[in-house]
Amino acid sequence: MLRVTAAARQSWRGFRTFPRSSVEVKNEPILSFLEGSEERRDLQEALDGLKGQTEEIPCVVGDEHIWTKDVRFQLSPFNHSHKVAKFCYADTELINKAILASVAARKEWDLTPVQDRAQVLFRAADLLSGPRRAEVLAKTMIGQGKTVVQAEIDAAAELIDFFRFNAKYAVELEAQQPLDADGSTNTMLYRGLEGFVAAVSPFNFTAIGGNLAGTPALMGNVVLWKPSDAAVSSSYVVYRVLRDAGLPPHVIQFLPADGPTFGDAVTASEHLAGLNFTGSYQTFKRLWKQVAQNVDAYRTFPRLAGECGGKNFHFVHGSAHVASVVRGTLRSAFEFGGQKCSACSRMYVPDRLWPLIREQLLVAHGQLRVGDPVEDFSTFFSAVIDDKSFARIKKWLDHAKTSSTLKVVAGGNYDDSKGYYVEPTIIETSDPLDPIMSEEIFGPVLSVFVYPENEYKEVLQLIDKTSPYALTGAVFAQDRNVIAEAAKALRNAAGNYYVNDKSTGSVVAQQPFGGARASGTNDKPGGPHYILRWTSPQVVKETQQPLPDWRYPYMG
Ligand code: NAD
């Protein structure tokens, strides 16, 4: 029997060191920003420094800062006379130039040991946790209209966690190796994808942009990052932090662009190896179709990851704890103006509990402050992101006011004279299939269907069938049998499912996030499996002894 020597085992594996099998990482603590605290002082200083300022943000390819003629502005949602950033759209020529420059840089980056790539993310996380925290928070607050706590859980905590946990997962992945056999060793090499990854990010989470671009880069890929027009300012901080942390030029190209121009250019390139998208279902479907149409052009099958919208539900059973329902629903439906993909926007309440729940919702509704999150820290949420969003939500509110089956119970008003303000709105519907119960609104609008208490089983079926989405959902019940029953009925209705908790607030490494059906490809960013989307492993078998004969012994 052949014996493999330790030296032989090293022949393939020797060019990289095997990592420690585990790396200690903890969730970033969420700071409280109480009056008088150090973090509040730093943040206030950063906010003061940005008052009335317009930052100039170029496209960046390698180390080159480029301005095209197509100049745009990012406006503050709660004060649209404040131009937060002046930037420009990359045109097709620039996008193609960035693709070629990335592809040329790919091999070297892909061969960089994972420990070194991970170090970039660990350092970036440390910068965001320390000296760059106030800057990224202030830009997220002013540019995307977030309150301090919403900015903190996004641009600080979640982004730092994405960087640290993914770096940890990437290092640990290297230790996952196939079995050796007598006389031969087997090695799995975790290569980046052959080509470039296009990262297209939404406006609503600074952390998501960092993750969409940062994680493929961590795994040895080169990335073209197109941030959302409404989040250019905070996205640019994240890009700069990565570069300051040691990310080499050309690994991530920073390219604000018109959506369709960018989508058309990247899907037309033979080098497209992956699309890492978060945004609406409609945009993702369009990109998927374009990839299908161009499939003959590609050198490799592109990986398509898309996290899309939701029509997230709160199901309330007769045994529910009413205060939890009310508090959780207020936060889930209205925080960040309902502009979280996981925000609760449809609720199902038994008729016996509705008077009490409605009364408590109305009392709290009267206390919610909607306003300028920078001037007034007691603001619960601020204006919605832009004029397009405002117009879309307005249509839904007008629909509610004119429909015979819908009744506005609270709110319903809007005003875009200074910022894109929409009141927190609660609507009661007698038609559970009205489009307001199935389509994503992405604003501070909660619709409620009141059902006969003893028909809850039918309501569980109804929740499952009403909407094409399946992102998040919550069940409020004290009765364990009902909890078990609901889990079965709603098994495919949500990728992130909560019991006696609101439908928002997933935390990296605790509740990896995403849903299926129209909500996307459910790749669970924030969990250990996500990084696997961005690697194309190679298996190397090395035999230490030459084959003694081509004939088999039984052949005589
Ligand atoms: P959006 O689809 O309008 O835009 C997302 C990104 O796509 C932007 O950068 C936009 O410029 C770009 N884009 C638009 N058209 C394009 C095209 N043809 N080709 C390439 N890129 C194009 O979405 P949004 O309004 O920024 O974000 C809100 C949506 O994102 C909601 O539907 C929300 O539910 C979803 N979302 C989902 C998750 C999740 O994890 N499931 C997280 C956040 C947001």
Side-chain angles (χ1 to χ4, degrees):
M1 200 185 278
L2 295 171
R3 280 267 149 242
V4 182
T5 64
R9 279 175 184 274
Q10 286 303 316
S11 62
W12 269 98
R13 296 177 182 180
F15 65 89
R16 63 191 163 76
T17 22
F18 273 109
R20 284 172 288 150
S21 58
S22 75
V23 179
E24 274 292 314
V25 168
K26 288 202 173 92
N27 286 112
E28 175 73 3
I30 293 167
L31 304 183
S32 60
F33 295 90
L34 294 175
E35 196 124 36
S37 64
E38 199 181 326
E39 65 265 19
R40 176 85 168 249
R41 195 198 57 220
D42 292 348
L43 176 63
Q44 196 58 58
E45 223 169 78
L47 290 168
D48 291 346
L50 293 171
K51 220 174 214 168
Q53 298 295 310
T54 303
E55 185 184 5
E56 303 214 344
I57 298 175
C59 295
V60 189
V61 174
D63 278 326
E64 202 183 341
H65 287 195
I66 300 157
W67 281 92
T68 64
K69 290 201 181 79
D70 197 350
V71 169
R72 305 279 160 150
F73 292 93
Q74 181 188 346
L75 310 180
S76 175
F78 51 89
N79 176 10
H80 44 54
S81 65
H82 179 192
K83 291 177 174 146
V84 172
K86 176 182 173 188
F87 63 99
C88 65
Y89 273 169
D91 53 23
T92 307
E93 198 187 333
L94 181 55
I95 297 166
N96 286 330
K97 174 181 159 168
I99 290 174
L100 295 181
S102 302
V103 171
R106 190 189 76 77
K107 279 192 181 155
E108 194 182 335
W109 178 243
D110 181 39
L111 288 173
T112 303
V114 67
Q115 289 84 352
D116 296 351
R117 287 187 259 120
Q119 275 313 317
V120 174
L121 265 70
F122 282 130
R123 277 195 295 268
D126 289 348
L127 288 171
L128 289 162
S129 173
R132 307 294 283 275
R133 193 182 200 113
E135 179 191 2
V136 78
L137 292 183
K139 289 182 175 172
T140 299
M141 288 175 73
I142 297 176
Q144 287 136 271
K146 293 206 173 191
T147 59
V148 61
V149 66
Q150 293 303 313
E152 168 73 2
I153 60 173
D154 164 19
E158 182 165 301
L159 182 53
I160 293 164
D161 284 351
F162 271 141
F163 283 173
R164 288 192 180 136
F165 278 96
N166 285 332
K168 163 192 161 77
Y169 297 145
V171 169
E172 289 173 356
L173 182 66
E174 293 275 311
Q176 289 185 25
Q177 292 295 325
L179 296 178
D180 291 334
D182 284 341
S184 63
T185 52
N186 297 310
T187 304
M188 182 91 86
L189 300 177
Y190 293 95
R191 306 171 302 180
L193 311 183
E194 194 184 10
F196 73 95
V197 173
V200 179
S201 53
F203 76 84
N204 64 339
F205 275 84
T206 304
I208 291 179
N211 185 49
L212 293 179
T215 304
L218 164 74
M219 297 306 289
N221 296 283
V222 288
V223 181
L224 263 65
W225 178 12
K226 192 208 93 53
S228 164
D229 292 4
V232 174
S233 164
S234 61
S235 302
Y236 192 54
V237 182
V238 177
Y239 168 75
R240 295 287 349 148
V241 163
L242 283 165
R243 293 299 309 278
D244 293 348
L247 190 79
H250 294 299
V251 174
I252 295 179
Q253 317 280 26
F254 186 77
L255 292 174
D258 166 60
T261 304
F262 186 84
D264 293 355
V266 295
T267 55
S269 169
E270 62 172 320
H271 299 293
L272 181 71
L275 172 66
N276 203 7
F277 174 85
T278 299
S280 64
Y281 166 62
Q282 291 78 4
T283 308
F284 187 52
K285 251 194 355 190
R286 177 190 155 116
L287 288 163
W288 189 295
K289 281 182 193 162
Q290 286 182 303
V291 168
Q293 272 157 11
N294 294 338
V295 72
D296 290 330
Y298 303 131
R299 295 159 63 92
T300 190
F301 287 102
R303 302 263 172 100
L304 305 181
E307 301 301 330
C308 307
K311 188 70 189 175
N312 314 298
F313 59 84
H314 277 187
F315 165 73
V316 183
H317 180 254
S319 65
H321 181 255
V322 167
S324 298
V325 172
V326 171
R327 293 172 196 151
T329 304
L330 284 162
R331 282 197 173 178
S332 178
F334 298 131
E335 276 186 322
F336 190 36
Q339 299 172 109
K340 295 186 187 184
C341 45
S342 53
C344 170
S345 61
R346 52 179 171 138
M347 177 152 86
Y348 299 81
V349 183
D351 46 10
R352 184 177 56 83
L353 291 185
W354 179 230
L356 183 60
I357 290 178
R358 183 180 54 200
E359 186 195 327
Q360 294 190 13
L361 283 173
L362 290 181
V363 170
H365 184 273
Q367 297 164 354
L368 292 185
R369 291 178 79 92
V370 181
D372 181 329
V374 172
E375 292 301 324
D376 181 0
F377 269 45
S378 69
T379 295
F380 189 65
F381 72 86
S382 184
V384 300
I385 193 74
D386 59 16
D387 53 349
K388 288 192 268 329
S389 201
F390 181 82
R392 190 187 59 243
I393 300 164
K394 188 165 163 272
K395 256 195 203 160
W396 281 108
L397 297 180
D398 294 342
H399 164 62
K401 286 174 193 167
T402 51
S403 161
S404 59
T405 52
L406 302 177
K407 188 168 93 199
V408 177
V409 178
N413 298 312
Y414 39 77
D415 176 4
D416 63 351
S417 51
K418 180 160 194 248
Y420 305 108
Y421 284 106
V422 179
E423 271 186 348
T425 300
I426 303 171
I427 293 164
E428 196 179 327
T429 178
S430 56
D431 175 6
L433 297 177
D434 187 282
I436 211 160
M437 295 295 276
S438 61
E439 291 178 30
E440 187 178 48
I441 299 174
F442 227 54
V445 183
L446 171 70
S447 301
V448 183
F449 175 63
V450 180
Y451 67 87
E453 187 171 7
N454 60 1
E455 289 178 16
Y456 78 90
K457 286 177 203 279
E458 288 79 4
V459 169
L460 290 174
Q461 301 305 323
L462 178 71
I463 292 172
D464 185 46
K465 292 199 182 85
T466 299
S467 166
Y469 295 105
L471 194 52
T472 76
V475 167
F476 289 87
Q478 300 297 311
D479 182 331
R480 293 307 308 178
N481 292 331
V482 172
I483 292 173
E485 220 175 328
K488 272 191 207 144
L490 300 172
R491 186 168 163 85
N492 294 305
N496 283 63
Y497 183 76
Y498 295 84
V499 179
N500 293 318
D501 204 341
K502 64 189 169 58
S503 64
T504 54
S506 67
V507 174
V508 170
Q510 295 185 31
Q511 297 94 23
F513 191 77
R517 296 186 182 164
S519 294
T521 50
N522 197 12
D523 294 299
K524 289 283 184 272
H529 313 105
Y530 181 68
I531 56 168
L532 296 175
R533 291 293 270 154
W534 311 113
T535 178
S536 175
Q538 181 185 46
V539 172
V540 179
K541 175 185 177 188
E542 182 179 2
T543 297
Q544 278 77 39
Q545 297 287 334
L547 202 56
D549 195 350
W550 61 268
R551 281 165 298 223
Y552 291 96
Y554 75 85
M555 294 165 93

